[in-house]
Amino acid sequence: MGVPRPFPGSPGEPDALVQDREEVDRALERLGAEYEAIETSLLALQDHAGRRLLEGAELAGTTKERWAAAERSITLLWTLFDAYTAALEQARELRERRRRPSPEDLAELTGLLYGDAVTVPDAATGTDPAADGDGSPGGPAPGGERFTLDKLVERMNGLYAQSLDVIVAADAVWSALPARIDLLSAELQRTRSLAHSVGVRPGEHPAGDDLERITDELLRLRERVIADPLAFWVSASTGSSAPGGGRPDTVRYDRAARALEDIRREVAAVLDVRQDAEQRLMQLRDVLSRADRTLTEARQARGEVLAKIAASEVPAVSGPSTALHEQLAAAAGYRRRAQWHRLSPLLDSLEERAEDELLRARESLTAVTAPLAVRAELRGRLDAYRAKLARHGLAEDPLLTERYDLARRMLWSAPCDLRAAEQAVWRYQQAAAEALVPPQREDKGDS
């Protein structure tokens, strides 16, 4: 649409002085350019694909209300444009009477071009086109509102922007969402067929129920988008007043797409289970078997520790997990009956819990054998210092021999008191360290 520009004098008021011929000609030229722009915009609005879709659709909700208002605005636009056209033609005819207009002609032209010479009925020019007495925009009303040509263009600009905003927003939603919903629905049907082949059906598997729910959601979503596209339009948050400023609201579509993707991954996991179920079951049996053997070893080690180590707290060792073995048997039954949708989540759970069981068994063995590891470390430390003293010719030292023999008896006797043995090794270690320090020679006489 043409954008009104300031005229000489105060906006919206005729100038006190009559304009000369040059000013009048320039104003006519500018108004003619605006006329061409307005006409082009109105014709484009009439031919807009979104407008034709809105006219032929069975609308509801927000879109129905806003399109009804937009249709009234478009009707009013043409009414105002006709008034603008008539005023401009009148001014042109007056200007073309004489090559050099008389003062009376210039005064009349000034009034037409700059004054509020265009009268439009009140019902047609209200801020709300439906706010007339009988609810019919453009209906008869007493009196009328007077406009300058500038103000008339400004009013048309506002109505055009409001109408175009509705058309562009609806067209954008219709262009974006229905096709995407149709593609997602086709993908859903493929997923449903594949899911049924592996036993993922409504009432038998949660994913089957989810597929039904997504199917219903897409049907409802498509119907709502077609009937009320403006309910799925998010206006721009930048505060821009440009028509069509915003984007389609895809929250519900995106949520359905994510849910379908989750189901596709679950169905793919079920298919993978069907392909490698036997191998995974064998691996599970192996992991649980290793866990059982480790627990058995830990129980045997605990008995050995209790017999060989005194004054030591040895943790108890639990038996193998009966629940895991029962679930493993159930998983094997699912495989025999080809109940892949039941086998898939059970295998996932069993694999994680079996690894935890093996880790628990290893930790039990480590905790139980810790006192034996401490005793072995003390024995190694004692022998290492003995060998070091032997290399320095100190192995036969009476004090060192006495402390070594005491520590050795403690470490090689059963049950072994670890705390007392550790103290004995420490005393031997201290004596060895003192023996290995060379004696300091005293200086004799002055040099």
Side-chain angles (χ1 to χ4, degrees):
M1 295 285 286
V3 179
R5 291 183 291 274
F7 287 92
S10 301
E13 296 292 338
D15 277 357
L17 298 177
V18 174
Q19 303 299 309
D20 60 21
R21 184 182 64 183
E22 287 77 10
E23 288 290 341
V24 166
D25 289 342
R26 280 195 294 270
L28 282 171
E29 183 178 357
R30 175 178 57 79
L31 291 170
E34 285 182 340
Y35 170 86
E36 296 293 337
I38 293 169
E39 184 181 41
T40 300
S41 298
L42 288 176
L43 292 174
L45 189 67
Q46 285 292 112
D47 293 336
H48 198 289
R51 183 179 187 276
R52 293 196 296 271
L53 289 173
L54 283 165
E55 286 180 333
E58 295 184 7
L59 302 176
T62 301
T63 306
K64 183 176 182 179
E65 296 174 3
R66 292 189 61 189
W67 175 236
E71 284 189 305
R72 293 192 294 268
S73 295
I74 293 171
T75 300
L76 177 57
L77 263 172
W78 284 104
T79 300
L80 298 180
F81 181 66
D82 289 343
Y84 181 86
T85 303
L88 182 60
E89 287 298 322
Q90 183 181 355
R92 283 173 170 170
E93 290 175 2
L94 180 59
R95 175 64 185 89
E96 291 170 359
R97 288 178 187 173
R98 300 181 181 87
R99 186 169 177 273
R100 292 184 176 275
S102 66
E104 291 78 10
D105 292 339
L106 290 175
E108 187 175 354
L109 282 169
T110 299
L112 286 173
L113 297 176
Y114 300 114
D116 51 355
V118 184
T119 302
V120 181
D122 289 334
T125 58
T127 302
D128 181 358
D132 55 293
D134 61 0
S136 302
E145 185 175 354
R146 300 180 66 83
F147 286 89
T148 65
L149 289 176
D150 271 353
K151 288 296 183 180
L152 196 59
V153 170
E154 182 179 336
R155 180 78 174 107
M156 285 190 287
N157 280 336
L159 292 169
Y160 174 83
Q162 294 168 12
S163 304
L164 184 61
D165 184 63
V166 172
I167 292 171
V168 170
D171 187 50
V173 172
W174 278 334
S175 298
L177 276 175
R180 295 171 68 179
I181 293 171
D182 290 343
L183 289 173
L184 190 62
S185 296
E187 181 61 30
L188 186 145
Q189 294 305 319
R190 288 191 292 271
T191 303
R192 183 206 295 272
S193 176
L194 190 60
H196 282 199
S197 71
V198 293
V200 178
R201 298 182 179 89
E204 299 181 12
H205 192 280
D209 298 332
D210 290 340
L211 280 171
E212 292 300 304
R213 179 184 55 79
I214 296 172
T215 300
D216 294 341
E217 167 66 6
L218 289 180
L219 287 173
R220 291 193 302 268
L221 180 59
R222 195 180 194 285
E223 291 174 358
R224 179 82 188 281
V225 167
I226 295 301
D228 192 6
L230 295 184
F232 297 87
W233 182 253
V234 179
S235 298
S237 59
T238 58
S240 173
S241 60
R247 59 177 176 79
D249 180 2
T250 61
V251 171
R252 287 177 60 181
Y253 168 84
D254 293 338
R255 184 165 55 241
R258 287 193 299 270
L260 179 59
E261 182 59 28
D262 291 341
I263 294 172
R264 288 178 57 191
R265 285 195 293 266
E266 188 165 350
V267 172
V270 172
L271 285 170
D272 292 339
V273 168
R274 185 171 65 179
Q275 294 172 359
D276 56 12
E278 181 58 29
Q279 181 181 359
R280 292 175 69 181
L281 284 171
M282 289 178 61
Q283 290 174 347
L284 274 171
R285 294 189 187 99
D286 178 62
V287 172
L288 288 179
S289 176
R290 280 187 285 153
D292 292 347
R293 290 196 302 270
T294 303
L295 287 174
T296 299
E297 184 181 352
R299 285 193 295 274
Q300 294 172 349
R302 186 174 188 272
E304 180 183 354
V305 169
L306 290 174
K308 294 181 177 181
I309 306 296
S312 179
E313 296 180 359
V314 184
V317 180
S318 64
S321 173
T322 304
L324 285 179
H325 285 278
E326 290 176 350
Q327 291 178 353
L328 181 60
Y334 289 152
R335 180 185 177 279
R336 286 193 302 273
R337 294 188 294 272
Q339 293 179 313
W340 310 113
H341 62 290
R342 297 183 184 276
L343 180 59
S344 176
L346 182 55
L347 280 180
D348 291 340
S349 173
L350 275 174
E351 285 169 344
E352 182 177 353
R353 294 175 61 193
E355 290 294 336
D356 291 342
E357 178 70 5
L358 180 58
L359 178 61
R360 182 180 68 85
R362 288 170 174 170
E363 289 174 346
S364 294
L365 179 60
T366 300
V368 164
T369 57
L372 294 178
V374 171
R375 188 184 67 172
E377 191 274 332
L378 290 174
R379 286 177 173 181
R381 195 193 313 172
L382 183 67
D383 289 341
Y385 271 92
R386 175 73 170 175
K388 187 174 183 180
L389 289 170
R391 288 196 302 272
H392 288 81
L394 300 173
E396 303 302 324
D397 182 89
L399 176 62
L400 293 173
T401 300
E402 177 185 354
R403 292 191 176 180
Y404 173 78
D405 290 342
L406 177 62
R408 193 176 190 285
R409 281 195 303 273
M410 288 183 172
L411 288 171
W412 267 266
S413 63
C416 171
D417 188 336
L418 277 181
R419 294 185 180 87
E422 187 175 10
Q423 288 296 320
V425 171
W426 182 81
R427 287 193 296 272
Y428 177 69
Q429 182 178 335
Q430 287 295 106
E434 293 174 359
L436 289 171
V437 175
Q440 296 182 354
R441 294 178 297 177
E442 297 183 358
D443 294 335
K444 299 181 179 179
D446 298 328
S447 56

